[in-house]
Amino acid sequence: MKESILKRSKVRALIAYVLLPVLLLHSCNLLPSTPPNENDPAQGTLVVSADTSLQTVLVEIQDNFERKYPHVEVQLNFGASGTLQNQIEQGTATDIFMPASSKHMNSLIKSGFVTADQQQHLLSNELVVIVNTTNKQTWSSLKKLTSSDMERIAIGAPETDSAGMYAEQTLQRLHFWNDIKNKAVFTKDVRQVLSYVDTGNVDAGFVYRTDALVAKNSKIVHFVSPKHHDPVVYPIGIIQQTRNVEAAQLWMAYVQQPEAQQIFKRYGFKIAGE
């Protein structure tokens, strides 16, 4: 009798030992109702923070990308590169960073927001001086900016705007900065410089060549020699805290494909390495 009871106890204990983990998994909802499909396309929202100078071209690229990958919605966030860097460091949800300088990307790499192997140079550009199309004055050099004819010169705030940073570097290396800084009208970004020149509110401004190509009432009067400032490059990087790795990787790959590169070229950008 005792032996029979002992056997039944062992059987019950064995059943409990086998079933208990399964019951616990079900109670904690740890067992998926259906297995994940590894072939599901990337989906969800992708936030791309990009320098304002990329605004026009990225709107077209966004449209093409979303047609090709309809499961991904791209949200474009434009601003001065330094401002966007600060937003990312303060926790603003961002998946892709596309500044107009290596400085701002390198800062995020140093602070751990981007890993070096998740970023690379994508594009390059040129710094130019523009004036309103009504201005008929002739230009031979940047020394023109120090003349009495130039009373208000628009420059992106060098602390946050990449074009402004390059402009300040140029003027300092040419020893014109002290003569010009009192004339400077500092703006939030390069597109505000373009707006001020287009509307005739300033006498001249520093922008990228690509900005000048979409200007309504402005013209280029001087191409700034690249030897006077750091290289104007546009890196692209995936933010470590991205909530959508698959979509971020798709975007990073797409903007390097011939289809997207042709669009960049059409807007005046140069492809890195070409």
Side-chain angles (χ1 to χ4, degrees), residues 102-192:
S102 294
K103 172 187 174 182
H104 298 104
M105 182 64 78
N106 289 338
S107 293
L108 288 187
I109 292 174
K110 185 176 181 180
S111 55
F113 286 88
V114 177
T115 58
D117 62 350
Q118 289 294 307
Q119 67 84 41
Q120 61 188 80
H121 287 175
L122 179 67
L123 307 166
S124 63
N125 211 335
E126 297 175 83
L127 188 67
V128 300
V129 177
I130 59 172
V131 299
N132 193 274
T133 51
T134 60
N135 189 322
K136 305 302 180 184
Q137 297 176 357
T138 58
W139 283 66
S140 58
S141 72
L142 283 178
K143 190 170 178 62
K144 177 70 174 177
L145 294 172
T146 66
S147 70
S148 58
D149 297 330
M150 297 284 111
E151 297 180 354
R152 291 164 59 83
I153 303 166
I155 302 174
E159 299 80 11
T160 53
D161 181 63
S162 298
M165 176 186 72
Y166 298 130
E168 182 184 42
Q169 290 174 354
T170 297
L171 295 171
Q172 285 182 337
R173 292 175 188 180
L174 293 174
H175 305 292
F176 294 156
W177 182 245
N178 289 335
D179 297 321
I180 290 175
K181 63 182 179 181
N182 291 331
K183 303 179 180 184
V185 177
F186 293 111
T187 69
K188 65 177 182 177
D189 57 43
V190 69
R191 283 300 174 95
Q192 191 170 46

Side-chain angles (χ1 to χ4, degrees), residues 73-112:
E73 176 190 356
V74 179
Q75 291 183 0
L76 297 175
N77 175 37
F78 295 109
S81 295
T83 301
L84 297 175
Q85 175 197 326
N86 292 337
Q87 290 176 359
I88 293 168
E89 291 174 336
Q90 291 166 11
T92 300
T94 307
D95 302 300
I96 294 284
F97 184 41
M98 299 177 70
S101 75
S102 294
K103 172 187 174 182
H104 298 104
M105 182 64 78
N106 289 338
S107 293
L108 288 187
I109 292 174
K110 185 176 181 180
S111 55

Side-chain angles (χ1 to χ4, degrees), residues 13-261:
L14 179 61
I15 292 172
Y17 178 81
V18 172
L19 291 181
L20 182 58
V22 176
L23 293 173
L24 286 174
L25 284 173
H26 276 291
S27 66
C28 296
N29 295 320
L30 292 178
L31 288 179
S33 56
T34 56
N37 182 358
E38 295 180 356
N39 295 320
D40 277 347
Q43 53 189 310
T45 301
L46 181 72
V47 180
V48 177
S49 289
D51 189 85
T52 308
S53 57
L54 289 165
Q55 182 170 337
T56 307
V57 66
L58 284 191
V59 168
E60 181 172 338
I61 286 179
Q62 171 196 20
D63 185 56
N64 289 357
F65 179 86
E66 288 181 338
R67 282 203 302 269
K68 188 169 186 177
Y69 304 105
H71 294 85
V72 181
E73 176 190 356
V74 179
Q75 291 183 0
L76 297 175
N77 175 37
F78 295 109
S81 295
T83 301
L84 297 175
Q85 175 197 326
N86 292 337
Q87 290 176 359
I88 293 168
E89 291 174 336
Q90 291 166 11
T92 300
T94 307
D95 302 300
I96 294 284
F97 184 41
M98 299 177 70
S101 75
S102 294
K103 172 187 174 182
H104 298 104
M105 182 64 78
N106 289 338
S107 293
L108 288 187
I109 292 174
K110 185 176 181 180
S111 55
F113 286 88
V114 177
T115 58
D117 62 350
Q118 289 294 307
Q119 67 84 41
Q120 61 188 80
H121 287 175
L122 179 67
L123 307 166
S124 63
N125 211 335
E126 297 175 83
L127 188 67
V128 300
V129 177
I130 59 172
V131 299
N132 193 274
T133 51
T134 60
N135 189 322
K136 305 302 180 184
Q137 297 176 357
T138 58
W139 283 66
S140 58
S141 72
L142 283 178
K143 190 170 178 62
K144 177 70 174 177
L145 294 172
T146 66
S147 70
S148 58
D149 297 330
M150 297 284 111
E151 297 180 354
R152 291 164 59 83
I153 303 166
I155 302 174
E159 299 80 11
T160 53
D161 181 63
S162 298
M165 176 186 72
Y166 298 130
E168 182 184 42
Q169 290 174 354
T170 297
L171 295 171
Q172 285 182 337
R173 292 175 188 180
L174 293 174
H175 305 292
F176 294 156
W177 182 245
N178 289 335
D179 297 321
I180 290 175
K181 63 182 179 181
N182 291 331
K183 303 179 180 184
V185 177
F186 293 111
T187 69
K188 65 177 182 177
D189 57 43
V190 69
R191 283 300 174 95
Q192 191 170 46
V193 172
L194 181 63
S195 175
Y196 283 2
V197 178
D198 260 355
T199 55
N201 288 312
V202 295
D203 299 304
F206 283 88
V207 299
Y208 297 119
R209 174 176 174 268
T210 52
D211 297 301
L213 294 178
V214 297
K216 296 179 180 178
N217 300 302
S218 300
K219 61 182 180 180
I220 298 174
V221 290
H222 186 80
F223 285 84
V224 178
S225 171
K227 69 182 181 181
H228 297 317
H229 57 74
D230 293 344
V232 180
V233 297
Y234 289 73
I236 179 173
I238 298 176
I239 302 302
Q240 283 249 64
Q241 292 80 5
T242 177
R243 300 165 300 177
N244 201 337
V245 175
E246 293 82 4
Q249 291 173 341
L250 272 183
W251 176 270
M252 190 154 176
Y254 178 74
V255 296
Q256 297 177 71
Q257 292 175 7
E259 176 184 338
Q261 290 185 341

